[in-house]
Amino acid sequence: MDDFKRDPNVITPLPGVEHRVQETVIIQRESSNAAWWGVGILAALAVVVLLWFLTRPAEQATDADLRVAQAEATAESARQTAEAALVQNQISGARDSVAIAQAQTATARAEAIRAAAEARTAEARASEPVIIERQTVVQPASNGPAVVTSTTPQS
């Protein structure tokens, strides 16, 4: 039973015989190929996925999708044009309102001026004329006789 209890890495010499032999014991773990197989399968799967991504055909939009996108773009363009026209119409309406107000103001001023002139005319007709009389004396020129030259202004 002693043989079963002994350490398998230690060599015990037999009694009476002493041979000295130097032995080198290399201890290796048991290697399992399962891990390498797993790594290999994962690498192959990664290569297949990479090739699939690189070689797959590009997704092409169908004609219906293109027409829907064009219709949406046209509708958006029409909406923006309508908004711009609405804003332009509002601006134009405001300008027209200002122009109408200015014209009405000018008409009111003209009528006020005309009414004031008519009032002055009516007031002048209603009042009696004022006559101012005074005597004026005409004096002859005291310079002597008049001399006419070519440079004298003619009136």
Side-chain angles (χ1 to χ4, degrees):
M1 290 241 196
D2 285 337
D3 292 335
F4 294 112
K5 291 183 180 177
R6 70 178 196 173
D7 188 14
N9 294 328
V10 176
I11 300 174
T12 55
L14 293 175
V17 179
E18 284 194 36
H19 288 278
R20 286 213 126 165
V21 178
Q22 185 176 0
E23 291 184 15
T24 304
V25 178
I26 299 174
I27 301 174
Q28 291 183 343
R29 292 186 176 183
E30 292 183 23
S31 64
S32 172
N33 290 336
W36 288 110
W37 277 101
V39 170
I41 290 172
L42 284 176
L45 183 63
V47 169
V48 168
V49 168
L50 180 65
L51 287 176
W52 181 73
F53 273 124
L54 294 177
T55 60
R56 70 181 174 148
E59 293 181 18
Q60 296 178 354
T62 62
D63 288 339
D65 292 339
L66 289 176
R67 287 184 184 151
V68 167
Q70 288 174 345
E72 287 175 353
T74 303
E76 180 64 21
S77 176
R79 185 189 64 79
Q80 289 176 354
T81 303
E83 285 180 0
L86 182 64
V87 168
Q88 189 66 24
N89 189 20
Q90 288 174 347
I91 291 171
S92 182
R95 286 182 188 155
D96 291 346
S97 297
V98 169
I100 290 170
Q102 288 174 343
Q104 288 174 346
T105 303
T107 303
R109 282 184 187 157
E111 287 183 12
I113 291 170
R114 183 184 56 80
E118 286 177 359
R120 280 195 303 268
T121 304
E123 184 180 333
R125 284 185 186 153
S127 65
E128 293 186 23
V130 176
I131 300 173
I132 301 175
E133 293 181 8
R134 73 177 179 173
Q135 222 173 10
T136 59
V137 178
V138 178
Q139 295 180 356
S142 63
N143 296 6
V147 177
V148 178
T149 63
S150 62
T151 59
T152 303
Q154 304 293 320
S155 49

PDB file of all heavy atoms in Angstrom, residues 24-25 34 51-52 93 106:
ATOM      1  N   THR A  24      14.581  15.497 -15.298  1.00  0.00           N
ATOM      2  CA  THR A  24      13.874  16.772 -15.381  1.00  0.00           C
ATOM      3  C   THR A  24      12.422  16.453 -15.647  1.00  0.00           C
ATOM      4  O   THR A  24      12.104  15.759 -16.619  1.00  0.00           O
ATOM      5  CB  THR A  24      14.420  17.632 -16.545  1.00  0.00           C
ATOM      6  OG1 THR A  24      15.824  17.788 -16.356  1.00  0.00           O
ATOM      7  CG2 THR A  24      13.742  18.963 -16.572  1.00  0.00           C
ATOM      8  N   VAL A  25      11.595  16.958 -14.801  1.00  0.00           N
ATOM      9  CA  VAL A  25      10.168  16.703 -14.922  1.00  0.00           C
ATOM     10  C   VAL A  25       9.516  17.979 -15.424  1.00  0.00           C
ATOM     11  O   VAL A  25       9.650  19.042 -14.834  1.00  0.00           O
ATOM     12  CB  VAL A  25       9.560  16.284 -13.575  1.00  0.00           C
ATOM     13  CG1 VAL A  25       8.063  16.071 -13.711  1.00  0.00           C
ATOM     14  CG2 VAL A  25      10.260  15.066 -13.036  1.00  0.00           C
ATOM     15  N   ALA A  34     -11.219  22.657 -27.254  1.00  0.00           N
ATOM     16  CA  ALA A  34     -12.570  23.215 -27.359  1.00  0.00           C
ATOM     17  C   ALA A  34     -12.534  24.739 -27.400  1.00  0.00           C
ATOM     18  O   ALA A  34     -13.288  25.369 -28.151  1.00  0.00           O
ATOM     19  CB  ALA A  34     -13.428  22.740 -26.202  1.00  0.00           C
ATOM     20  N   LEU A  51     -18.283  40.169 -44.644  1.00  0.00           N
ATOM     21  CA  LEU A  51     -18.478  39.997 -46.091  1.00  0.00           C
ATOM     22  C   LEU A  51     -19.917  40.271 -46.481  1.00  0.00           C
ATOM     23  O   LEU A  51     -20.178  40.860 -47.539  1.00  0.00           O
ATOM     24  CB  LEU A  51     -18.066  38.585 -46.512  1.00  0.00           C
ATOM     25  CG  LEU A  51     -16.560  38.322 -46.530  1.00  0.00           C
ATOM     26  CD1 LEU A  51     -16.283  36.865 -46.858  1.00  0.00           C
ATOM     27  CD2 LEU A  51     -15.876  39.229 -47.531  1.00  0.00           C
ATOM     28  N   TRP A  52     -20.873  39.872 -45.657  1.00  0.00           N
ATOM     29  CA  TRP A  52     -22.282  40.121 -45.973  1.00  0.00           C
ATOM     30  C   TRP A  52     -22.568  41.624 -46.009  1.00  0.00           C
ATOM     31  O   TRP A  52     -23.243  42.109 -46.895  1.00  0.00           O
ATOM     32  CB  TRP A  52     -23.175  39.429 -44.943  1.00  0.00           C
ATOM     33  CG  TRP A  52     -24.632  39.640 -45.228  1.00  0.00           C
ATOM     34  CD1 TRP A  52     -25.372  39.084 -46.213  1.00  0.00           C
ATOM     35  CD2 TRP A  52     -25.510  40.505 -44.511  1.00  0.00           C
ATOM     36  NE1 TRP A  52     -26.668  39.535 -46.147  1.00  0.00           N
ATOM     37  CE2 TRP A  52     -26.773  40.415 -45.104  1.00  0.00           C
ATOM     38  CE3 TRP A  52     -25.336  41.336 -43.409  1.00  0.00           C
ATOM     39  CZ2 TRP A  52     -27.862  41.124 -44.651  1.00  0.00           C
ATOM     40  CZ3 TRP A  52     -26.426  42.038 -42.958  1.00  0.00           C
ATOM     41  CH2 TRP A  52     -27.682  41.934 -43.578  1.00  0.00           C
ATOM     42  N   GLY A  93     -51.644  94.838 -48.702  1.00  0.00           N
ATOM     43  CA  GLY A  93     -52.876  95.396 -48.143  1.00  0.00           C
ATOM     44  C   GLY A  93     -52.586  96.529 -47.179  1.00  0.00           C
ATOM     45  O   GLY A  93     -53.287  97.554 -47.173  1.00  0.00           O
ATOM     46  N   ALA A 106     -55.218 113.981 -47.646  1.00  0.00           N
ATOM     47  CA  ALA A 106     -54.979 115.068 -48.603  1.00  0.00           C
ATOM     48  C   ALA A 106     -56.299 115.671 -49.082  1.00  0.00           C
ATOM     49  O   ALA A 106     -56.429 116.903 -49.214  1.00  0.00           O
ATOM     50  CB  ALA A 106     -54.170 114.550 -49.788  1.00  0.00           C
TER      51      ALA A 106
END
